[in-house]
């Protein structure tokens, strides 16, 4: 009883503070770097590095978001309101690019369109040796690949908005004398604007955080500048300064995205949800099929086929060394999935049970790491762990022990980075499923004599078991694909499949990078198919079937 009273006097639940500690440590490091600036470091960053990387980063973001919005909105409009040949299999296929890391798409497209690649070579053979193909290793090339890989974020949210409108939106447009195109511009698009804006902001966050794809294209952005400052210039202070700039931009974008989510509301009746799609017959239907099919071909089908072809060509690379990389990837992904599922369950449970504002604030802080790029987390967590290691080593040496403690060079840094980066991925599915447990269910259980533990075991556990599996799968896949955080914090000798892909592409071995890359893709495709399976029957029974941000993260 005394413990319960002491806990109530605290401003927040202690468990939320413990779970939020990695993000708080990273943000604290950024804050200290701003409060105690080094004039020479900031002068170098402000006069030399930022003028080089800020315009490039801004141009990349604008072009990537523009392409993702065009592709995502167009495909969402067609698949949600119209029936055409192949729509049923094209709908889940349009989500597949989320299973392919951006650095693998970059590998394939550079292999195709680089100066010595097959496409420019054949074009020069047909059109003459003087014919020049626009260089793929440019801001435009990086934006093309990132747009093809990230448009599903816009697609999922925009499709959810269009499905909530139903066929009635087309009928309203027809009553105003508008055709399908006019109805889209005058009715459908304005109603879906909050969802589209939310998807665009997610694409913006992912573009700001990308490291692997822009490195492959030799495009200098804030993320690559942080890596180069630390590992090439050996300036940890410079990396912290650049990280502070990037995290400020990322948090602004994350704040805008949260505001957009508050604006998303579903308005519709049963007639809207049950309305059938408009059938596109003849050439119109095949045109819609070709348009969506071309997007799937460019974003998923052709790159996967090329990766499979290159993997077969270099099948001799499947040796004990590659199996070691795969073992490291699986071990890190498995440990992270288990740890984050437990932490996500604990955070979701505390947020449900504890209404104190301090608990809510710490909960939001704990899940804010998804908006912080991996390069920033690597730098921001390395500094406090290195300081803690030095303090502990001094304490141990003071008692005469020869042991040296180096937390910053072990798996602790990697796992803490994963906790900060992917806790929101684990928490959202569990928290959403807990919301289905109404207070009335708990009241009935208490009336039958159940205590809190029995309620958790007999009421909550059966209802959230599926979400625990979902959370573990999502974290597992994200960790398998994660590159910058793993690359910058891994212990010596702990190379993973993603790190191997980075090393091969850095050496220009585009085709040989396909063997470890295809392994990562296969790990990502399985949960994507698992998450979209059966979505079509659910949609026929009750549209809309997707939730805004949770399903974007889930895919």
């Amino acid at each position: 009883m005394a413990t319960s009273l002491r806990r109530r006097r605290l401003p927040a639940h202690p468990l939320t503070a413990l779970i939020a500690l990695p993000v708080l440590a990273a943000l604290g490091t950024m804050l200290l770097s701003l409060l105690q600036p080094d004039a020479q470091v900031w002068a170098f960053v402000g006069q030399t590095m930022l003028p080089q990387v800020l315009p490039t980063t801004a141009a990349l973001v604008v072009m990537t978001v523009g392409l993702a919005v065009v592709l995502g909105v167009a495909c969402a409009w067609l698949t949600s309101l119209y029936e055409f040949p192949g729509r049923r299999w094209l709908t889940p296929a349009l989500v597949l690019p989320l299973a392919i890391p951006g650095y693998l798409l970059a590998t394939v497209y550079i292999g195709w369109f680089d100066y010595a690649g097959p496409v420019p070579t054949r074009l020069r053979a047909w059109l003459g040796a003087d014919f020049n193909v626009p260089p793929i290793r440019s801001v435009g090339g990086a934006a093309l690949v990132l747009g093809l890989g990230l448009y599903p974020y816009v697609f999922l949210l925009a499709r959810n908005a269009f499905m909530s409108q139903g066929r009635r939106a087309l009928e309203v447009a027809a009553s105003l004398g508008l055709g399908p195109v006019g109805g889209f511009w005058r009715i459908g698009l304005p109603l879906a604007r909050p969802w589209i804006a939310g998807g665009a902001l997610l694409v913006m966050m992912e573009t700001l955080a990308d490291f692997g794809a822009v490195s492959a294209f030799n495009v200098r952005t804030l993320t690559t500048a942080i890596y180069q400052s630390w590992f090439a210039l050996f300036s940890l202070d410079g990396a912290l300064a650049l990280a502070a700039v990037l995290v400020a931009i990322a948090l602004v974008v994350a704040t805008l995205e949260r505001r957009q989510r508050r604006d998303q509301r579903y308005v519709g009746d049963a007639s809207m949800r049950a309305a059938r799609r408009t059938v596109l017959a003849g050439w119109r239907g095949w045109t819609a099929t070709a348009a969506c099919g071309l997007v799937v071909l460019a974003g998923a089908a052709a790159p996967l086929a090329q990766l499979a072809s290159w993997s077969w060509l270099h099948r001799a690379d499947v040796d004990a060394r590659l199996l070691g990389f795969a073992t490291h990837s699986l071990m890190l992904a498995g440990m992270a999935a288990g740890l984050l599922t437990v932490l996500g369950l604990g955070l979701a449970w505390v947020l449900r049970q504890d209404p104190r504002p301090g608990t809510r604030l710490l909960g939001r802080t704990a899940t804010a790491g998804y908006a912080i790029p991996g390069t920033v987390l690597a730098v921001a967590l390395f500094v406090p762990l290195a300081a803690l290691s030095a303090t502990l080593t001094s304490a141990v040496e003071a008692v005469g022990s020869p042991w040296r403690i180096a937390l910053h060079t072990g798996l602790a840094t990697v796992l803490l980075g994963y906790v900060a980066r992917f806790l929101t991925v684990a928490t959202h599915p569990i928290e959403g499923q807990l919301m289905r447990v109404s207070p009335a269910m708990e009241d009935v259980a208490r009336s039958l004599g159940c205590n809190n533990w029995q309620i958790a075991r007999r009421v909550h556990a059966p209802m959230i078991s599926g979400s625990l599996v979902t959370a573990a799968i999502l974290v597992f896949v994200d960790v398998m694909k994660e590159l910058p955080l793993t690359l910058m914090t891994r212990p010596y000798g702990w190379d993973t499949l993603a790190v191997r892909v980075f090393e091969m592409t850095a050496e220009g071995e585009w085709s040989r990078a396909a063997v470890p890359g295809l392994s990562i893709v296969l790990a990502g495709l399985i949960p994507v198919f698992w998450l979209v399976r059966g979505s079509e029957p659910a949609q026929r029974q009750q549209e809309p079937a997707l939730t805004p941000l949770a399903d974007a993260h889930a895919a």
Side-chain angles (χ1 to χ4, degrees):
M1 183 68 178
T3 302
S4 178
L5 290 175
R6 285 195 300 269
R7 183 176 298 174
R8 290 176 185 175
R9 295 192 190 103
L10 296 175
H13 198 286
L15 183 59
T16 56
L18 181 63
I19 295 175
L21 190 58
V23 176
L24 291 174
L27 294 177
T29 303
M30 296 293 100
L31 183 61
L32 286 177
S33 69
L34 293 175
L35 295 178
Q36 300 176 352
D38 188 316
Q40 292 183 345
V41 170
W42 277 98
F44 174 75
V45 169
Q47 298 174 10
T48 304
M49 302 197 74
L50 288 182
Q52 296 177 5
V53 299
L54 278 182
T56 306
T57 303
L60 179 66
V61 168
V62 170
M63 288 191 283
T64 301
V65 171
L67 179 61
V69 168
V70 170
L71 296 179
V73 171
C75 293
W77 177 259
L78 290 173
T79 57
S80 59
L81 295 179
Y82 295 100
E83 188 66 51
F84 52 88
R87 182 200 59 81
R88 188 165 298 177
W89 66 266
L90 280 171
T91 300
L94 285 165
V95 186
L96 291 181
L98 286 182
I100 308 175
Y103 52 83
L104 285 181
L105 278 180
T107 298
V108 172
Y109 273 84
I110 292 174
W112 283 342
F113 292 99
D114 207 10
Y115 183 83
V119 175
T121 300
R122 291 181 182 178
L123 288 176
R124 286 193 297 270
W126 294 341
L127 303 176
D130 295 334
F131 180 79
N132 291 322
V133 178
I136 188 66
R137 298 198 201 190
S138 60
V139 177
L144 172 65
V145 168
L146 289 175
L148 287 172
L150 298 176
Y151 79 85
Y153 284 113
V154 181
F155 169 75
L156 285 171
L157 298 181
R159 187 169 185 268
N160 188 69
F162 293 143
M163 290 178 67
S164 68
Q165 298 170 18
R167 190 179 175 183
R168 299 301 186 207
L170 295 178
E171 295 175 354
V172 170
S175 68
L176 296 175
L178 301 174
V181 177
F184 168 76
W185 288 106
R186 299 283 298 277
I187 304 296
L189 190 61
L191 290 176
R193 191 173 298 158
W195 286 265
I196 297 171
L201 288 171
L202 286 175
V203 173
M204 188 181 300
M205 289 168 58
E206 293 291 335
T207 305
L208 286 171
D210 182 79
F211 171 78
V214 294
S215 296
F217 284 104
N218 291 331
V219 174
R220 293 199 66 191
T221 63
L222 281 167
T223 53
T224 59
I226 293 172
Y227 178 82
Q228 292 168 356
S229 179
W230 188 359
F231 288 93
L233 301 178
F234 304 103
S235 174
L236 190 57
D237 292 333
L240 277 174
L242 290 167
V245 175
L246 182 54
V247 77
I249 298 174
L251 290 178
V252 169
V253 175
T255 302
L256 293 175
E257 190 273 332
R258 283 183 176 273
R259 290 185 178 180
Q260 285 292 334
R261 287 179 62 192
R262 288 201 298 266
D263 294 336
Q264 295 174 2
R265 298 291 184 270
Y266 298 101
V267 180
D269 54 26
S271 63
M272 285 188 179
R273 292 191 295 267
R276 295 181 179 180
R277 295 179 176 87
T278 301
V279 178
L280 294 178
W283 66 269
R284 292 182 176 85
W286 289 108
T287 300
T289 302
C292 294
L294 184 61
V295 175
V296 173
L297 181 67
L304 287 176
Q306 184 63 81
L307 287 173
S309 175
W310 283 342
S311 297
W312 178 255
L313 181 65
H314 296 284
R315 58 188 180 276
D317 288 350
V318 181
D319 52 13
R321 190 182 179 196
L322 183 68
L323 293 178
F325 298 148
T327 301
H328 293 161
S329 295
L330 293 173
M331 289 179 64
L332 284 175
M335 287 187 291
L339 175 62
L340 281 163
T341 301
V342 173
L343 293 178
L345 175 61
L347 182 61
W349 176 262
V350 170
L351 291 176
R352 177 182 175 86
Q353 300 295 327
D354 193 336
R356 283 175 289 183
T359 300
R360 299 291 175 184
L361 178 60
L362 285 175
R364 288 194 297 269
T365 303
T367 56
Y370 194 79
I372 305 176
T375 51
V376 174
L377 286 174
V379 177
L381 289 175
F382 178 87
V383 172
L385 282 176
L388 178 61
S389 299
T391 302
L392 293 176
T393 300
S394 300
V396 169
E397 290 176 347
V399 296
S401 175
W403 293 98
R404 296 183 61 86
I405 299 175
L407 298 175
H408 56 293
T409 61
L411 288 178
T413 309
V414 185
L415 292 177
L416 285 177
Y418 290 158
V419 170
R421 184 90 168 91
F422 301 120
L423 181 61
T424 183
V425 178
T427 304
H428 279 176
I430 302 172
E431 193 174 16
Q433 197 67 23
L434 277 175
M435 292 175 64
R436 296 176 178 267
V437 182
S438 66
M441 295 181 184
E442 298 174 343
D443 293 339
V444 170
R446 289 190 182 93
S447 68
L448 295 175
C450 295
N451 54 32
N452 289 336
W453 169 249
Q454 291 173 325
I455 292 174
R457 182 172 59 87
R458 302 176 64 179
V459 178
H460 295 102
M463 297 190 68
I464 67 172
S465 58
S467 65
L468 295 178
V469 176
T470 300
I473 290 176
L474 296 178
V475 172
F476 185 90
V477 173
D478 276 341
V479 171
M480 287 286 292
K481 297 189 297 182
E482 173 62 30
L483 174 59
L485 188 57
T486 308
L487 177 68
M488 297 173 70
T489 61
R490 74 194 190 282
Y492 178 77
W494 266 80
D495 288 353
T496 63
L497 292 172
V499 173
R500 181 61 174 168
V501 171
F502 176 80
E503 292 174 346
M504 299 303 295
T505 54
E507 297 171 2
E509 298 282 354
W510 311 109
S511 59
R512 291 188 63 191
V515 178
L518 189 62
S519 304
I520 299 173
V521 172
L522 291 177
L525 285 176
I526 296 173
V528 167
F529 278 117
W530 183 77
L531 289 168
V532 301
R533 66 181 180 135
S535 62
E536 191 62 32
Q539 291 163 7
R540 287 200 301 267
Q541 294 173 5
Q542 183 177 0
E543 296 183 20
L546 299 174
T547 58
L549 184 64
D551 282 323
H553 282 308

